[in-house]
Structures are given as structure tokens and as C-alpha cells.
């Protein structure tokens, strides 16, 4: 792996995923971490914790990812995940309009409650379900008409679209999309969010989201977070100019054996 | 939102303070159906860390006397916090330069009851064995200082942390070095020498140091500082002091040269509590804030029926909670131990407090400053836990000082508070001034410090029952209680010890010996 060569400064970034149930949060993480996809991913219970490294030209970012449950029942869980998070990925499903409403709610809550410098990315997932308008969409075209028409038929249509993951490659193109690229993009611009449309199924744009977040984390908030990677922090830290480093590595305990070793007495 | 009304659980946990949260972590893989509630709107209970605006709201809610104050649910035990007042010195005046202003309110994470964690604590090993440590960022408490002198000639001296430091300390003469060494060596394995110190175990520490080790009073300060005892020096017995000094010496160098203690970034123990709750949520635990247990029906034979503060009723096989979170009759005439605490946000980095303890080692984000009483007769010392901005408690170029001093038991009058608050203010002022006269590590100029001032402060009382039975079984053991975390400056191993004994009862012996020993959940790629 890349980190076996010359050591790059390494920093950890705490990232939280938020969004309505079944929009594909866990699937995005699974794609990013394992490059895998499960057509019938079960709902997340509570939350899940995963880590993945992201190599930038000049540094390594270790994402500590908290994937939360969209169907959280009492709205008491999310605060303990976004507290102190440096990045948040707010996900909606482009085939389900209500999921964007929920996403906006999360963005507002983050802006109100999370750390002031938090980097927020808005992600419209399940782009593969709208393959046909994908290209048009990427050219910044007027997908808006699809949204306007969608209002009266949301419920059943979008359910059907979300469940048709197996045989979706043809047929339900323009009707599948319920949130236009333009609408979401202009909202993201207004709120100063990173914005992507992705497919956890095809992998489209998934890596890009995380790289963009890694690049958007201000250097200043990485300063002093040079974790020096997990093992061998001593030498590693020395090599990477760890004067800025304030992180204590609990794995590096000297003298696990007896109370005498590494002790001044 | 769903209603909890009528739901049935294997286990209800009340309170998200450190102890009940660690308990939640311990049962996070048990497969039990768990409901975890807290009547606060935030996590962490008495150990919470709050943003600036949360802290101000908290102060308003805790401004009164704990006995009269019934602003929240009367069902709960007398509240630990009272007499809170906020003073905002930052006037935000025109032209004030940035470092002298408060930052965004959410850039602060102020701990209500901060504690340091000695490297050898059982909590540290438990966090590692439960694979939760990787979700926390630990930082070093680098140095212990003694602050003394007057405001015109303040003096800040670093306490030698161990034998190496003593050797190198140029301020000590040969005789003092020898005596100190003798004492430190003795403490190193004091348990084995109990027959030597048994007969003088009740001597006050200063007397023992002088009589048994030939240490003149001038050298007592540093050793008393290492005990972190809130008591008057003459009230600390040798038997109390030995284990305290030993835990310090034995923790030095475990996680890096020259430092003995750590604390989690972003609000300390509150962060540990939240990580623990997250782990329980990952295991399927259901979390509800803003809801407490307001009454318990213990009809024998049936499941417990709990009334929640929102009016819902739930049933559960077992109820576990901290004493302050359960609607239990408090044993009357309990004596309380009370600290007056002050949290100070300071407009400068105070870098002289955070020197590196070894070349190439971590940069400490914490320091302990002990300010002994100078009055006649001597009063209790003031302890100041300093957190640099690296701790995540405040924006860069600022600092948070957590000051505390014990309040003598016989007090009801407000004057005592005012007096203690003034003593804390004076101690903080002394420390600020002393950092101006101490050359910083890199010889950098102290120009920025010339503007040093307190921007914001919060004073309050923090009381904990003096004798808490370590765990109390109500009736047939379906209710298990966890005591309050002590007022000590260092986390005591008994906190996790109590959690373990409650855990052993709650899981009924199935997983004995597996307390907080978990397989990794496979953070790399496998989310089950
Ligand atoms: N076609 C398609 N299906 C997807 C995509 N991403 C996720 N899915 C499917 O959508 C369903 C829900 O995905 P999850 O990743 O479990 O959604 P989640 O947001 O984590 O859901 P909760 O954990 O309940 O909050 C699963 O059946 C996935 O296979 C995608 O990009 N395209
Ligand atoms: Mg999920």
C-alpha cells in the first residue's frame, strides 16, 4: 500500500453520515471502504463505525466514519455522532423527494449544533436508477421538469423505484428521478455545501466525495492531529516532524509487563 | 416520533454520566434489549462537556441553592450542582483585537467535572480491550506546577515528576536530592514495606516527610502537589498519600517519556461517556434524551414498571442507574463533600504551562497547577487543570483553566462561596501573571501574553455525598445503582470497579471474566 513508502503526514478525520432511511448511507460506506455493493442491504441498527484511509498527494487522511441509522426513533442518537465531527455526509435518494427534505433538515441541524468548521457534503445517491438522464444531468441541464411533475405521484412511484434495484437498467429513466440536479445543486451552493450525485451500486463518484471532503478539511484543523499512524508512533512521529503532535498513542504502552519499566521510580 | 409507552425491555439504564455509560458499553454486546435514557438534553450527566451557550443555559438552571431549587423534576436526588454564576468579561467592544474575544460558542467544550486519567488506570486498559480507544483521541497532561508568591512577584515552578527530574533539578541541593530520592524509592514499592510505615500511617504527610525522610518543609510542596489531594496538607495522612504519589510515579512514561496522565480530547470524560453510548447504540440500544425515570413500581414477581418523565410507562426486568438519576429516597443526613469550581476562558495560549516532556514526544495539552494557600491558618489548596486549545476545549490561542477548591463542611452561608470564588480568581490571576515571567520553551516573545485576560468565567458548587455505598441493591436486586464519580482531580479506579460489579450482577454470570473484553467489530470494512 501507499503508506509503506516514505511517510506522509497522517491525520484522522471524524466523519458522520446522516440521512433518511434506505437512501444508501451504508452502501456508500461499503463502496468506499470495501469497494463492494449489496443489493439487499439491511437497515443499520443504531450506528456502525468504520475506518478507511484516503491518500492525498501530500498527506494521508484516515476517515473515522460513523454511519447512523436513518430510522432512528427518538432523535437522540445523531447528536452524539456529529459532536466534534469534522465532516458530515448528508445523503438523500434522488428517486425520493422526501429524502431531500430530510437532508435539508439535517443540514440545518448541523449548522446549528455541530462544530463551527464542519465540512458538509450533500450527496444525491442512486444515480444508477436514472442512468439515462445521468449524462444530461452532468451537463447541468434542466432536469427540473421531472421534479415538478413528480409531486402528485411521489409515494408509490418512488417506493417502486427504490426497490427495483435488480432490474433497473432500463425502462424507468426519467420517471425515476424525483430530485433534479439543478434544485439540489443550487441548494448546496446556497448553503455552501460540497455536492455530488453518486451511485453506491456502480461506484460512480463515491471516491470523489471522500477525496473532496479530505481536500476541504482546513489545514488548521488537521494541525496537531498527526496521529503518526497506529503502530510505531514513536519513530513515525519523529520522522513526520511531530512537534505539532499532541495525540497520545494508547497502543504504544511501554512496559505492559510490570510497574517498574518505563517508570521513574 | 414513536412513543415509548407500553414498551418492554430487558434493561433500562438511567443517566449518561461516565459510570452508567461505561455500564452501557459493558452490556453493548449482551444481546439484551436496552433502553438508555437521560433526563438531560445532553449526554454526559454530571461529567458533561458543554458549549458556551449550553454552559450559560446550564448556569441559569443551576443558579439556585440545590436544596431549594426545584426547577427540574423533583423526583431526582438532590442535585450535585448549584450556585452557578457566569461572568462575561469579553465586552466585544469595538476595535478589540481577535485573541481577546470569545470565539464561536460551539468552539468551546467546557467540562463540568474534569478529571485526568493516570496512564495506569483500569479505564485505559478497559478502553483498549473493548476496542473503543481508537475512537478517542488522548492527550498528555505534561507537567505539574506549584504557583506561589504574590501578584507582584509570582513564581511558577515545575514539580519534578520522578527520580530523573530530581537528578536534573538545579534548584535542589545535594541533601535535598538525597532525601527526595529516599522518599521516591520508598514509595516505589511501598506496599511491600507496610510493616515499616504501619506505625506512622496516620501521621500527617508533612510530619511524616520531615520525621521519616528528613525532608525540610520547603520540599513538601511538590510532593503534596503530586497527591492531588483537595484536603489541607495537615489533613492528608501518610497512608492516604502513599498510594496517591505511587500512582503518579508508576504512570510516568507509560505512553511517552515524562508524563503520567492523559485525558480525552473534546471535553474529557464526556467524550468517553459518549463513545460508550455509541457502542451500545451500535449493539442495538435505544437512546432517548430529555427523559428520566421518575418513579418505579417494584411489585414483587412482576417486571419493574417505570414511569418516565414524559408520562410514558415502560416495563423492564432490570433498572441500572447512577444515584443522581434514579428516583430513590436518598439516605437522609448524608454528609456532602463540596467543591467550589471555576471555569475560566483565558485569552492566551499560556504556552509556559505546556512544555514538552521529552524531545520529539507529544505536545502536552494539559497541565496541573497547584496553588497552596498562603493565608494564616492555611486553607485548602486550589487546583487548576489547564487545557490548551489542542484539547479541543477552546479555539486556538486561548486556554481553559478549571479551578477548584474544597469547601469546608460547615457552611450554608453565601459568603463562603464568595470567598472561595475570590480565592479561585486570585489563584488564576497569579497563574496568568506567573506565565508572563516564565520564559517559554522556544524563547518566543511573550508579546501576545501582555494582553492576557480572563474572557469568561463560570463559578458553581459541586457536591457529592461523602459516603455512598458503592452499590445499593434495592429490594431483590432488580435495581442496581452506581455511585457518583468522586470530586477528585484524577479518575479513580473504583468508578470502573463499581461498574464491573454491577455488570456481573446484571448479566447473571454468563460472561464472567469477559468484562469489557470484546473482539474488534472489524472497523476496517466490515460493518456486520
Ligand atoms: N440502485 C441502487 N440501490 C442502492 C444504492 N445505494 C443503496 N441502494 C440500495 O438501497 C437500499 C438501502 O441502502 P442502505 O445502504 O442500507 O441505506 P441506509 O441509508 O444505510 O439505510 P439505513 O441504515 O436504514 O439508514 C439497499 O437495498 C441498497 O442495496 C444505489 O446507489 N443504487
Ligand atoms: Mg445504513
Amino acid at each position: 500500500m501507499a503508506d509503506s513508502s516514505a511517510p506522509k503526514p497522517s491525520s484522522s478525520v471524524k466523519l458522520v453520515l446522516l440521512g433518511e432511511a434506505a437512501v444508501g448511507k451504508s452502501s456508500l460506506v461499503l463502496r468506499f471502504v470495501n469497494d463492494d455493493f449489496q443489493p439487499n442491504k439491511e437497515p443499520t441498527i443504531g450506528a456502525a463505525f468504520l475506518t478507511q484511509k484516503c491518500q492525498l498527494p501530500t498527506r494521508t487522511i484516515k476517515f473515522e466514519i460513523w454511519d447512523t441509522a436513518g430510522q432512528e426513533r427518538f432523535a437522540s442518537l445523531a447528536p452524539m455522532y456529529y459532536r466534534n465531527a469534522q465532516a458530515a455526509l448528508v445523503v438523500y435518494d434522488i428517486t425520493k423527494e422526501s429524502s431531500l427534505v430530510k437532508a435539508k433538515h439535517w443540514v440545518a441541524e448541523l449548522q446549528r449544533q455541530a462544530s463551527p468548521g464542519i465540512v458538509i457534503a450533500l450527496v444525491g445517491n442512486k444515480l444508477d436508477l436514472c442512468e439515462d438522464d445521468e449524462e444530461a444531468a452532468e451537463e447541468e441541464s434542466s432536469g427540473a421538469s421531472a421534479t415538478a411533475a413528480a409531486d402528485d405521484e411521489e409515494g408509490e412511484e418512488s417506493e417502486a423505484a427504490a426497490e427495483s434495484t435488480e432490474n433497473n437498467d432500463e425502462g424507468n429513466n426519467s420517471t425515476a428521478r424525483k430530485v433534479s440536479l439543478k434544485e439540489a445543486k443550487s441548494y448546496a451552493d446556497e448553503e455552501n455545501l460540497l455536492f455530488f450525485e453518486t451511485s453506491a451500486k456502480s461506484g460512480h463518484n463515491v471516491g470523489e466525495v471522500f477525496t473532496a471532503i479530505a481536500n476541504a478539511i482546513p489545514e488548521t484543523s488537521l494541525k496537531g492531529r498527526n496521529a503518526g499512524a497506529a503502530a510505531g508512533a514513536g519513530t513515525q512521529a519523529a520522522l513526520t516532524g511531530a512537534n505539532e503532535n499532541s495525540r497520545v498513542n494508547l497502543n504504544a504502552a511501554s512496559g505492559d509487563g510490570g510497574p517498574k519499566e518505563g517508570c521513574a521510580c | 416520533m414513536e412513543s415509548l409507552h407500553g414498551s418492554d425491555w430487558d434493561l433500562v439504564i438511567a443517566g449518561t454520566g461516565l459510570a452508567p455509560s461505561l455500564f452501557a458499553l459493558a452490556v453493548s454486546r449482551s444481546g439484551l434489549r436496552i433502553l438508555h435514557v437521560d433526563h438531560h438534553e445532553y449526554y454526559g450527566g454530571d461529567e458533561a462537556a458543554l458549549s458556551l451557550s449550553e454552559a450559560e443555559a446550564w448556569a441559569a438552571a443551576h443558579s439556585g441553592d440545590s436544596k431549594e431549587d426545584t426547577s427540574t423534576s423533583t423526583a431526582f436526588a438532590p442535585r450535585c450542582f448549584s450556585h452557578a454564576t457566569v461572568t462575561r468579561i469579553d465586552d466585544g467592544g469595538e476595535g478589540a483585537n481577535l485573541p481577546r474575544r470569545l470565539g464561536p460558542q460551539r468552539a468551546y467544550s467546557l467540562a463540568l467535572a474534569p478529571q485526568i486519567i493516570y496512564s495506569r488506570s483500569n479505564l485505559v486498559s478497559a478502553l483498549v480491550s473493548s476496542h473503543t480507544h481508537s475512537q478517542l483521541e488522548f492527550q498528555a497532561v505534561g507537567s505539574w506546577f506549584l504557583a506561589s508568591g504574590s501578584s507582584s512577584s509570582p513564581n511558577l515552578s515545575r514539580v519534578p515528576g520522578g527520580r530523573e527530574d530530581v537528578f536534573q533539578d538545579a534548584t535542589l541541593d545535594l541533601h535535598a536530592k538525597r532525601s527526595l530520592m529516599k522518599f521516591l524509592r520508598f514509595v516505589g514499592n511501598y506496599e511491600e514495606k507496610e510493616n515499616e510505615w504501619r506505625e506512622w500511617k496516620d501521621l500527617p504527610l508533612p510530619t511524616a516527610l520531615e520525621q521519616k525522610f528528613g525532608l525540610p518543609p520547603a520540599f513538601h510542596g511538590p510532593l503534596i502537589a503530586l497527591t492531588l489531594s483537595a484536603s489541607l496538607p495537615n489533613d492528608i495522612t501518610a497512608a492516604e498519600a502513599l498510594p496517591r504519589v505511587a500512582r503518579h510515579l508508576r504512570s510516568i512514561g507509560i505512553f511517552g517519556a515524562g508524563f503520567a496522565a492523559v485525558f480525552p480530547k473534546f471535553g474529557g470524560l464526556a467524550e468517553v461517556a459518549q463513545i460508550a453510548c455509541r457502542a451500545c447504540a451500535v449493539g442495538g440500544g435505544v437512546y432517548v434524551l430529555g427523559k428520566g425515570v421518575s418513579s418505579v413500581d417494584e411489585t414483587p414477581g412482576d417486571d419493574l414498571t417505570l414511569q418516565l418523565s414524559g408520562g410514558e410507562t415502560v416495563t423492564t426486568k432490570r433498572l441500572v442507574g447512577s444515584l443522581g438519576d434514579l428516583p430513590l429516597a436518598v439516605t437522609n443526613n448524608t454528609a456532602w463533600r463540596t467543591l467550589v469550581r471555576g471555569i475560566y476562558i483565558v485569552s492566551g495560549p499560556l504556552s509556559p504551562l505546556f512544555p514538552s516532556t521529552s524531545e520529539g514526544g507529544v505536545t502536552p495539552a494539559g497541565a496541573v497547577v497547584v496553588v497552596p494557600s498562603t493565608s494564616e491558618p492555611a486553607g485548602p489548596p486550589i487546583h487548576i487543570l489547564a487545557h490548551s486549545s489542542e484539547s479541543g476545549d477552546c479555539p486556538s490561542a486561548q486556554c481553559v483553566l478549571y479551578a477548584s477548591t474544597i469547601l469546608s463542611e460547615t457552611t450554608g452561608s453565601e459568603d463562603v462561596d464568595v470567598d472561595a470564588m475570590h480565592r479561585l480568581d486570585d489563584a488564576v490571576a497569579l497563574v496568568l501573571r506567573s506565565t508572563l515571567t516564565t520564559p517559554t520553551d522556544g524563547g518566543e516573545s511573550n508579546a501576545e501574553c501582555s494582553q492576557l485576560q480572563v474572557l469568561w468565567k463560570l463559578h458553581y458548587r459541586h457536591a457529592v455525598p461523602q459516603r455512598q455505598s458503592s452499590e445499593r441493591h434495592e429490594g431483590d436486586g432488580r435495581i442496581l445503582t452506581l455511585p457518583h464519580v468522586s470530586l477528585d482531580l484524577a479518575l479513580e479506579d473504583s468508578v470502573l470497579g463499581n461498574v464491573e460489579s454491577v455488570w456481573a450482577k446484571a448479566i447473571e454470570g454468563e460472561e464472567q471474566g469477559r468484562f469489557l473484553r470484546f473482539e474488534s467489530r472489524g472497523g476496517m470494512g466490515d460493518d456486520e
Side-chain angles (χ1 to χ4, degrees):
Chain A
M1 295 255 315
D3 50 314
S4 62
S5 59
K8 275 190 272 185
S10 154
S11 332
S12 338
V13 167
K14 189 176 143 190
L15 179 145
V16 61
L17 277 104
L18 298 166
E20 197 173 85
V23 295
K25 296 179 295 298
S26 304
S27 300
L28 286 167
V29 179
L30 186 62
R31 174 63 72 190
F32 175 57
V33 173
N34 271 5
D35 197 18
D36 192 10
F37 179 75
Q38 294 171 3
N40 291 308
K41 187 128 185 54
E42 68 289 355
T44 305
I45 298 168
F49 179 71
L50 300 95
T51 62
Q52 173 67 308
K53 285 189 184 144
C54 180
Q55 301 290 345
L56 298 183
T58 57
R59 59 168 68 245
T60 303
I61 302 284
K62 184 184 166 215
F63 280 110
E64 297 173 355
I65 303 169
W66 283 99
D67 173 23
T68 64
Q71 50 175 241
E72 205 247 291
R73 297 200 270 164
F74 303 101
S76 294
L77 268 181
M80 72 173 150
Y81 297 107
Y82 61 61
R83 180 176 178 267
N84 309 324
Q86 290 142 290
L89 218 155
V90 179
V91 187
Y92 67 95
D93 176 346
I94 62 172
T95 70
K96 197 173 175 211
E97 186 153 35
S98 70
S99 69
L100 180 65
V101 175
K102 182 72 185 170
K104 289 180 177 174
H105 161 89
W106 280 124
V107 170
E109 179 157 344
L110 287 170
Q111 288 170 339
R112 212 172 47 240
Q113 303 285 1
S115 340
I118 191 167
V119 173
I120 306 175
L122 180 69
V123 170
N125 188 38
K126 306 200 183 175
L127 187 59
D128 59 282
L129 294 178
C130 326
E131 289 280 10
D132 286 2
D133 75 321
E134 182 176 337
E135 258 137 80
E138 291 200 339
E139 286 157 24
E140 269 284 79
S141 78
S142 57
S145 53
T147 326
D151 279 356
D152 44 349
E153 48 180 351
E154 351 161 85
E156 287 192 323
E157 270 289 336
S158 52
E159 295 280 84
E163 272 153 31
S164 66
T165 51
E166 306 288 61
N167 55 346
N168 64 332
D169 286 338
E170 66 269 51
N172 53 0
N173 43 29
S174 56
T175 49
R177 181 185 276 274
K178 294 286 154 49
V179 178
S180 77
L181 177 83
K182 201 169 158 198
E183 180 195 355
K185 176 89 171 80
S186 67
Y187 166 71
D189 287 346
E190 235 165 74
E191 299 295 334
N192 212 358
L193 318 173
L194 297 170
F195 175 69
F196 289 90
E197 286 193 340
T198 61
S199 167
K201 187 177 183 188
S202 73
H204 180 80
N205 259 351
V206 176
E208 283 78 354
V209 174
F210 288 90
T211 311
I213 290 175
N215 278 313
I217 305 280
E219 290 273 323
T220 50
S221 78
L222 294 175
K223 187 197 124 208
R225 287 181 158 261
N226 297 345
T235 48
Q236 187 89 353
L239 286 170
T240 53
N243 286 343
E244 305 268 52
N245 179 18
S246 66
R247 186 171 188 145
V248 173
N249 183 357
L250 297 194
N251 289 322
S254 69
D256 259 345
K260 293 287 143 55
E261 206 179 324
C263 165
C265 52
Chain B
M1 200 167 295
E2 285 175 52
S3 167
L4 286 165
H5 192 68
S7 56
D8 178 49
W9 306 89
D10 294 325
L11 177 61
V12 172
I13 307 174
T16 59
L18 182 67
S21 298
L22 288 172
F23 175 77
L25 171 63
V27 293
S28 64
R29 312 266 181 116
S30 64
L32 296 174
R33 295 168 304 139
I34 299 169
L35 173 66
H36 195 167
V37 298
D38 194 315
H39 64 277
H40 296 109
E41 288 292 344
Y42 47 82
Y43 286 92
D46 292 350
E47 288 76 52
L50 306 175
S51 70
L52 211 51
S53 60
E54 285 171 333
E56 290 180 352
W58 178 91
H62 294 81
S63 57
D65 191 298
S66 54
K67 276 128 213 141
E68 299 150 17
D69 189 345
T70 51
S71 58
T72 57
S73 174
T74 47
F76 303 104
R79 301 156 76 205
C80 297
F81 296 110
S82 63
H83 299 79
T85 53
V86 169
T87 317
R88 223 179 226 274
I89 296 125
D90 163 57
D91 52 5
E94 75 305 326
N97 49 1
L98 275 175
R100 296 181 58 188
R101 305 276 300 273
L102 286 168
Q105 59 92 3
R106 276 174 289 143
Y108 296 90
S109 188
L110 306 171
L112 293 177
Q115 290 187 322
I116 62 167
I117 305 171
Y118 274 111
S119 302
R120 280 214 175 271
S121 306
N122 55 3
L123 180 66
V124 171
S125 1
L127 291 173
V128 172
S129 72
S130 62
H131 291 277
T132 29
H133 67 294
S134 58
Q135 297 156 28
L136 292 161
E137 189 167 334
F138 278 94
Q139 296 174 313
V141 183
S143 306
W144 261 237
F145 294 95
L146 269 176
S148 58
S150 65
S151 55
S152 51
S153 62
N155 179 37
L156 188 71
S157 60
R158 188 168 179 271
V159 173
R163 282 158 65 183
E164 266 169 63
D165 276 1
V166 172
F167 266 127
Q168 285 161 11
D169 195 326
T171 66
L172 297 174
D173 67 30
L174 210 58
H175 171 73
K177 274 188 192 179
R178 246 189 241 122
S179 307
L180 265 176
M181 288 306 214
K182 187 173 157 201
F183 177 71
L184 296 180
R185 219 173 305 126
F186 182 86
V187 173
N189 58 347
Y190 78 96
E191 291 98 332
E192 294 158 26
K193 300 177 201 145
E194 204 190 327
N195 49 350
E196 275 180 58
W197 54 269
R198 194 180 303 121
E199 73 237 42
W200 46 269
K201 70 178 168 53
D202 293 325
L203 279 187
L205 178 61
T207 315
L209 290 174
E210 202 158 1
Q211 294 181 359
K212 305 296 164 188
F213 298 93
L215 265 171
F219 301 103
H220 295 177
L223 295 171
I224 291 167
L226 293 186
T227 66
L228 290 179
S229 171
S231 309
L232 287 160
N234 277 323
D235 291 345
I236 313 170
T237 65
E240 282 164 354
L242 287 174
R244 285 169 168 265
V245 177
R247 80 177 164 184
H248 184 99
L249 297 178
R250 290 169 186 173
S251 283
I252 291 176
I254 302 293
F255 296 122
F259 66 90
V262 295
F263 65 100
K265 188 166 179 164
F266 300 119
L269 297 178
E271 190 68 359
V272 177
Q274 291 207 31
I275 287 287
C277 292
R278 284 179 205 166
C280 185
V282 169
V286 171
Y287 278 77
V288 187
L289 288 179
K291 227 171 248 313
V293 176
S294 44
S295 74
V296 186
D297 174 1
E298 291 185 72
T299 312
D302 296 332
D303 281 356
L304 298 169
T305 303
L306 312 182
Q307 173 111 38
L308 303 183
S309 49
E312 302 99 323
T313 306
V314 302
T315 51
T316 181
K317 296 195 175 51
R318 207 183 286 278
L319 172 64
V320 173
S322 53
L323 283 172
D325 293 290
L326 293 175
L328 305 173
V330 204
T331 347
N332 33 4
N333 56 50
T334 312
W336 292 67
R337 206 172 140 82
T338 307
L339 282 185
V340 172
R341 292 188 183 271
I343 302 178
Y344 297 80
I345 298 172
V346 175
S347 69
L350 301 187
S351 9
L353 293 182
F354 308 102
S356 196
T357 55
S358 71
E359 236 165 276
V362 297
T363 306
V368 173
V369 187
V370 181
V371 188
S373 162
T374 49
S375 62
E376 266 311 324
I382 288 165
H383 287 99
I384 298 177
L385 198 54
H387 283 187
S388 77
S389 63
E390 282 293 316
S391 69
D393 288 7
C394 63
S396 62
Q398 295 185 4
C399 223
V400 180
L401 301 183
Y402 297 98
S404 61
T405 192
I406 199 100
L407 211 58
S408 62
E409 277 92 84
T410 54
T411 169
S413 91
E414 302 291 313
D415 299 352
V416 187
D417 278 300
V418 173
D419 173 62
M421 279 160 56
H422 283 153
R423 286 194 297 117
L424 295 185
D425 284 354
D426 291 346
V428 165
L430 180 71
V431 170
L432 295 193
R433 241 166 272 131
S434 71
T435 62
L436 295 175
T437 54
T438 309
T440 51
D441 238 7
E444 57 199 78
S445 102
N446 275 317
E448 87 235 41
C449 300
S450 62
Q451 313 245 312
L452 215 51
Q453 68 176 74
V454 172
L455 300 174
W456 182 97
K457 60 185 177 181
L458 164 62
H459 288 108
Y460 52 103
R461 270 198 202 186
H462 184 185
V464 160
Q466 208 144 34
R467 242 180 301 283
Q468 333 178 36
S469 50
S470 68
E471 94 207 36
R472 194 150 44 111
H473 295 265
E474 295 292 314
D476 44 17
R478 290 181 296 173
I479 303 177
L480 300 171
T481 62
L482 291 157
H484 293 276
V485 173
S486 82
L487 296 175
D488 246 60
L489 208 57
L491 179 71
E492 290 178 321
D493 281 354
S494 60
V495 172
L496 194 62
N498 291 326
V499 171
E500 178 166 10
S501 55
V502 166
W503 168 84
K505 299 198 170 80
I507 56 120
E508 279 153 0
E510 287 159 42
E511 308 170 63
Q512 290 295 352
R514 306 296 302 159
F515 181 61
L516 290 175
R517 297 191 171 274
F518 299 144
E519 300 302 313
S520 167
R521 280 210 197 251
M524 287 306 251
D526 171 21
D527 64 350
E528 291 155 319

